[in-house]
Amino acid sequence: MSTSSANKTHRAEIHSHSTASDGAYAPSRVAELCHQRGVEVWSLTDHDNCNGCTEAREAAESLGITFISGIEISAYHDTSVHVLGYGVDTEGDVIQDYSERRFESRRERMRQMIARLDDLGVDISFEAVADIAQDAIMGRPHLARALVAAGEVGSVNEAFDRYLHTGGPAHVSMGWPSVENAIDLIHRAGGIAILAHPGQYDLDDDIGDWIDAGLDGIEAIHPQHNRQARRRYAKMARGFGVLSTASSDFHGNRDRFAHFGNVPFPVNWLDAFLERLGVS
C-alpha cells in the first residue's frame, strides 16, 4: 500500500473478530463490511486461533483488500492481557499446536463454568453453548449469549455482571501463557507482537519489560482509550522506539459499528507497520 493511497483514505482495520472466535459474522462477511467501509488493509485477529484466516484472505483478495494474517493470544499477568500477532504462519505447527490446545482447554473450562451455574440454579447446557459457538474456540461471550437465549438473563452484559466477570460466581480461570511466552510464540510463528488495548489493564509499568522481551508495538488507539490514553500510549511507543497501531476491535456488536473502519490510523504509523511486515 503506497503512502499516497494511505493519505487518500488512511483506512485500516487490523483488530477484528469473526465467528472463528467470538465475533458475530463469518470471515467473508467481515471482509464485505471492510469493503463497504473503504478499508484497504485488514487483519482478522480471532482469539487463540487462525481458523478463519484462509476464508478471510480469499474474500479480501477478491475485494482488492490487503490482508494480513492475525491472531489475538490470551495471556496472563495479574489480569488477562491480550497480545496481537500479525503476519503469523497460520498453517505452521506453532499456531496449529497452540490453537488445538486452547480449543480443548476452553471446552473443559466451559463445562466447569456450566457446572458452577448449575450449582447457582441456572439451567444451561453445554450443547446450547456449543450450538452458538459452532466450530469456534469457546469463550465466555458464547456462554453469555446462550444464557440470554435461554431467558436466564436479559442481556450479555447482565450475564457478565451477574455471573461471568473475572472473579464472578461462575467464572473459571485458565492456565494462560505469560505475556513473554505469548510474544515468543508469535515470533516463533513468524509474526510481530503488539500489545492490545493496554488501557484495560493498569499495567503500564510492565510494558517496558515486555518490550525488552521482544514486544514490537502498542495498540495506542482503541475505542476504550480516551484522548489522554491515546496520547500516553503513542508517546510511550515513540519513547521505546516501537510501533503504534489503531483499531476498532470489531466483534460485530452494535456499539463498535460506528468505529469499524473509521478509527483514525495515522499514515506514518500504518506505513511503519506495513514496512515491518514487508507489505508494500
Side-chain angles (χ1 to χ4, degrees), residues 1-276:
M1 180 181 178
S2 67
T3 301
S4 60
S5 179
N7 274 319
K8 181 179 177 182
T9 63
H10 62 274
R11 290 203 174 195
E13 187 51 74
I14 64 166
H15 185 174
S16 62
H17 299 271
S18 76
T19 50
S21 64
D22 58 347
Y25 301 110
S28 56
R29 179 56 180 155
V30 182
E32 292 172 355
L33 293 171
C34 284
H35 183 62
Q36 291 172 11
R37 295 291 173 97
V39 170
E40 291 187 314
V41 178
W42 172 45
S43 182
L44 185 67
T45 52
D46 278 311
H47 293 285
D48 297 314
N49 83 95
C50 295
N51 296 341
C53 281
T54 298
E55 178 185 336
R57 183 181 297 280
E58 292 173 355
E61 289 176 352
S62 72
L63 294 168
I65 299 169
T66 297
F67 182 76
I68 298 164
S69 61
I71 190 169
E72 187 169 15
I73 301 291
S74 303
Y76 193 83
H77 183 92
D78 297 332
T79 187
S80 177
V81 177
H82 291 172
V83 184
L84 293 156
Y86 295 104
V88 294
D89 178 2
T90 62
E91 303 297 327
D93 289 343
V94 173
I95 292 296
Q96 289 298 314
D97 290 349
Y98 172 78
S99 296
E100 288 172 10
R101 292 195 305 273
R102 289 294 97 188
F103 184 85
E104 293 303 327
S105 61
R106 279 181 178 266
R107 287 174 70 86
E108 176 55 31
R109 177 203 194 197
M110 186 60 64
R111 294 185 189 279
Q112 294 175 23
M113 287 193 289
I114 288 170
R116 291 194 178 186
L117 285 168
D118 185 63
D119 291 341
L120 295 166
V122 179
D123 185 20
I124 197 74
S125 69
F126 180 86
E127 289 72 23
V129 183
D131 283 345
I132 290 173
Q134 296 293 313
D135 295 327
I137 288 183
M138 284 186 170
R140 286 179 291 170
H142 298 124
L143 178 53
R145 286 160 57 191
L147 290 169
V148 173
E152 295 288 350
V153 294
S155 68
V156 167
N157 285 341
E158 183 184 349
F160 273 87
D161 290 344
R162 289 180 62 182
Y163 303 115
L164 304 179
H165 63 275
T166 301
H171 178 257
V172 174
S173 298
M174 288 188 65
W176 301 115
S178 67
V179 175
E180 291 83 357
N181 285 342
I183 293 167
D184 178 64
L185 183 145
I186 290 165
H187 287 168
R188 287 189 290 111
I192 63 173
I194 305 292
L195 181 64
H197 40 66
Q200 294 184 8
Y201 313 131
D202 193 25
L203 294 171
D204 288 5
D205 291 343
D206 295 291
I207 292 176
D209 292 335
W210 296 334
I211 289 171
D212 288 342
L215 185 71
D216 299 289
I218 300 170
E219 188 177 62
I221 297 179
H222 183 275
Q224 293 186 351
H225 289 177
N226 60 25
R227 182 175 297 182
Q228 182 180 12
R230 293 179 178 194
R231 289 174 175 171
R232 181 169 74 254
Y233 292 119
K235 181 178 180 180
M236 186 181 296
R238 286 196 304 273
F240 283 113
V242 298
L243 299 169
S244 294
T245 64
S247 83
S248 74
D249 193 2
F250 181 68
H251 287 73
N253 42 325
R254 218 172 288 171
D255 63 331
R256 293 284 166 86
F257 259 110
H259 299 285
F260 183 62
N262 290 318
V263 171
F265 202 137
V267 172
N268 59 325
W269 293 11
L270 182 58
D271 285 347
F273 174 75
L274 295 175
E275 182 178 0
R276 180 70 66 86

